[in-house]
C-alpha cells in the first residue's frame, strides 16, 4: 500500500481501494457491505475510481473476472477501474479481454513490490566474481515445484551438470515429487512428444535424483518476504560465478504473467550475473526499467524465444556452456560481469519509483 500511496495515482479523484489475491476475491465486490451503494454510485458517476491491487501476484485470469463482475454486473465504466499487478504484461491481457467483450480497456499499473522489498533488505555487501578457482559454477534455487523447476533440474542431471552447481529442490508445501512430476510433464508436453521422451526415456535416472537442500531444511516455508534470511546464502554467491534464476512463471499454459520477483532482485542485490528461467522478454523488460543484462558474455537469445520448450533447451545449453569456460574465457567473463553487476546494484539501491503505468 505504501507504494501506491507514494505514487501520483491519487492526484485526480477519490479512490476506493482494495488488495486482493485471485479471481475468487473479485466476487466480494458484489457484497453490499464491501462496496457500499453510495460508493458504487460515485464510481459509476465518475466521481471516484475503483482501484484493485494484485501487486503481490501476476495472475492474468483476474482480468476476465473484473470485467464479468465490476464492468458487466456492477456496470462500472472501465475508465473508472485501475488494476495494479506484479505482471509487467497485464495490459496485454486487458487488451485481449476488452477486445473479446467489445468494451473499453480498464487502466493498468505494473508495481514491483519484490524489487522494493529487496532494496530495503538489511545486508552487508561482499565481494563476488573474484579471480579464483570455482569448484561450483552456478546457483539454482527452487522451493515450490512449479513445473519448469523440476524440468530444469532434470535436464541438468541428464546433461551431467547437476553437480556443477549449488541446486536446491526437495518436497515443499505443494507436496509434489518426481512421481507427480511425470503426470505434469506428460500433460504440458502432450503436443511435444520429442520433449516428453527426454524424460520418459530416462525415468529411472530422473526419479533417483535425491532431495537437494542448501541453506533451508524446511522447504514448506516461503522465505520470500523474510528479508534478512538471505545472508546464509552469501557463501554460495561468493563461490560461484553465475545464477540460474527459476522465476515464478515459465510455461504459458501455467501462467502468462511476466513476473519479476525477489528471486531475480536478490540476485542483483548479491551482485551475481544471471540466466532467467522465466517468461519470454523478461530480460528485455528488466532493461526497460534501467538494468543491464549480460549479452556480451551470456547468450541471451533465449529471452526472445516464445516456444517454451525451445527456450528451456536454449537455457540448459547456455548453462552447460558457462560451466565449461576455459581459464581465459572465465577471466573475461568475470571482468565483464563485475562492471554490470555493480551498475545493477546501484540501480536497485537508488530506485525511487516501483510503479509504472502500462
Amino acid at each position: 500500500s505504501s507504494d501506491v500511496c507514494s505514487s501520483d495515482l491519487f492526484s485526480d479523484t477519490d479512490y476506493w481501494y482494495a488488495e486482493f489475491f485471485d479471481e475468487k476475491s473479485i466476487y466480494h465486490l458484489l457484497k453490499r457491505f464491501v462496496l457500499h451503494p453510495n460508493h458504487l454510485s460515485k464510481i459509476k458517476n465518475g466521481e471516484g475510481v475503483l482501484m484493485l491491487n494484485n501487486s503481490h501476484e501476476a495472475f492474468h485470469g483476474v482480468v476476465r473476472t473484473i470485467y464479468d463482475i465490476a464492468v458487466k454486473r456492477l456496470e462500472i465504466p472501465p475508465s473508472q477501474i485501475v488494476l495494479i499487478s506484479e505482471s509487467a504484461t497485464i495490459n496485454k491481457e486487458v487488451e485481449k479481454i476488452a477486445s473479446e467483450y467489445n468494451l473499453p480497456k480498464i487502466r493498468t499499473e505494473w508495481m514491483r513490490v519484490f524489487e522494493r522489498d529487496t532494496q530495503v533488505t538489511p545486508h552487508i555487501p561482499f565481494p563476488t566474481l573474484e579471480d579464483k578457482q570455482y569448484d561450483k559454477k552456478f546457483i539454482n534455487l527452487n522451493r515450490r515445484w512449479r513445473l519448469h523447476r523440476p524440468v530444469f533440474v532434470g535436464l541438468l542431471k541428464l546433461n551431467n551438470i547437476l553437480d556443477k552447481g549449488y541446486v536446491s529442490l526437495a518436497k515443499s508445501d505443494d507436496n509434489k515429487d518426481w512421481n507427480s512430476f511425470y503426470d505434469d510433464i506428460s500433460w504440458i508436453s502432450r503436443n511435444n512428444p520429442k520433449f516428453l521422451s527426454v524424460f520418459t526415456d530416462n525415468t529411472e535416472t530422473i526419479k533417483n535424483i535425491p532431495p537437494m537442500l542448501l541453506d533451508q531444511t524446511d522447504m514448506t516455508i516461503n522465505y520470500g518476504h523474510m528479508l534478512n534470511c538471505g545472508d546464509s546464502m552469501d557463501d554460495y554467491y561468493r563461490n560461484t560465478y553465475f545464477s540460474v534464476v527459476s522465476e515464478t512463471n515459465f510455461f504459458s499454459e501455467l501462467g502468462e504473467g511476466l513476473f519479476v520477483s525477489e528471486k531475480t532482485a536478490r540476485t542483483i542485490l548479491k551482485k551475481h550475473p544471471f540466466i532467467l528461467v522465466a517468461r519470454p522478454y523478461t530480460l528485455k523488460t528488466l532493461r526497460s526499467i534501467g538494468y543491464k543484462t549480460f549479452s556480451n558474455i551470456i547468450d541471451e537469445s533465449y529471452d526472445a524465444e516464445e516456444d517454451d520448450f525451445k527456450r528451456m533447451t536454449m537455457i540448459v545449453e547456455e548453462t552447460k556452456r558457462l560451466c565449461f569456460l576455459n581459464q581465459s574465457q572465465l577471466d573475461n567473463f568475470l571482468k565483464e560481469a563485475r562492471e554490470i553487476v555493480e551498475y545493477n546494484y546501484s540501480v536497485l539501491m537508488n530506485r525511487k519509483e516501483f510503479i509504472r503505468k502500462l
Side-chain angles (χ1 to χ4, degrees), residues 89-298:
T89 55
I90 194 69
N91 56 317
K92 302 299 183 183
E93 185 69 15
V94 169
E95 290 172 3
K96 183 177 77 173
I97 300 302
S99 176
E100 179 183 330
Y101 285 7
N102 195 27
L103 289 168
K105 294 183 290 185
I106 64 174
R107 290 185 275 166
T108 51
E109 309 278 345
W110 174 33
M111 181 179 291
R112 304 184 305 278
V113 170
F114 294 96
E115 183 188 22
R116 187 280 314 273
D117 287 352
T118 303
Q119 184 196 69
V120 299
T121 301
H123 69 285
I124 300 174
F126 58 88
T128 57
L129 306 178
E130 297 175 292
D131 292 316
K132 64 181 183 181
Q133 180 179 338
Y134 289 91
D135 295 328
K136 298 288 188 178
K137 318 302 181 182
F138 66 93
I139 308 172
N140 176 241
L141 305 177
N142 304 281
R143 189 181 71 86
R144 188 166 287 153
W145 284 55
R146 300 183 189 276
L147 184 55
H148 57 285
R149 295 171 181 167
V151 165
F152 180 70
V153 170
L155 291 174
L156 291 178
K157 177 66 174 180
L158 297 180
N159 279 271
N160 298 313
I161 53 173
L162 184 57
D163 62 348
K164 299 293 184 183
Y166 293 115
V167 180
S168 64
L169 184 68
K171 185 166 285 191
S172 180
D173 55 348
D174 53 14
N175 208 35
K176 290 181 177 287
D177 56 20
W178 289 114
N179 291 314
S180 58
F181 163 79
Y182 271 88
D183 293 333
D184 295 338
I185 193 64
S186 297
W187 177 81
I188 203 72
S189 305
R190 62 195 180 280
N191 297 318
N192 195 324
K194 184 177 179 180
F195 189 86
L196 176 59
S197 67
V198 172
F199 295 95
T200 55
D201 292 348
N202 294 280
T203 301
E204 184 176 353
T205 300
I206 296 294
K207 287 190 173 183
N208 282 331
I209 297 175
M212 293 174 289
L213 301 168
L214 295 175
D215 63 322
Q216 306 296 341
T217 57
D218 187 350
M219 300 290 273
T220 66
I221 300 173
N222 186 348
Y223 292 92
H225 291 287
M226 299 174 68
L227 298 178
N228 61 354
C229 72
D231 292 342
S232 61
M233 288 297 297
D234 287 355
D235 282 343
Y236 296 111
Y237 287 96
R238 281 193 185 95
N239 295 314
T240 55
Y241 53 86
F242 71 103
S243 289
V244 185
V245 180
S246 298
E247 261 297 352
T248 303
N249 291 335
F250 184 88
F251 291 106
S252 61
E253 289 188 85
L254 301 177
E256 294 188 8
L258 197 162
F259 195 165
V260 181
S261 74
E262 83 286 348
K263 304 170 190 65
T264 298
R266 190 164 290 162
T267 304
I268 294 172
L269 184 75
K270 302 296 186 181
K271 300 183 182 181
H272 228 221
F274 50 80
I275 293 174
L276 299 185
V277 187
R279 295 294 299 141
Y281 309 114
T282 303
L283 292 177
K284 181 179 179 180
T285 300
L286 283 174
R287 292 192 293 269
S288 77
I289 56 173
Y291 292 110
K292 292 181 180 180
T293 58
F294 302 87
S295 59
N296 58 332
I297 51 176
I298 296 175

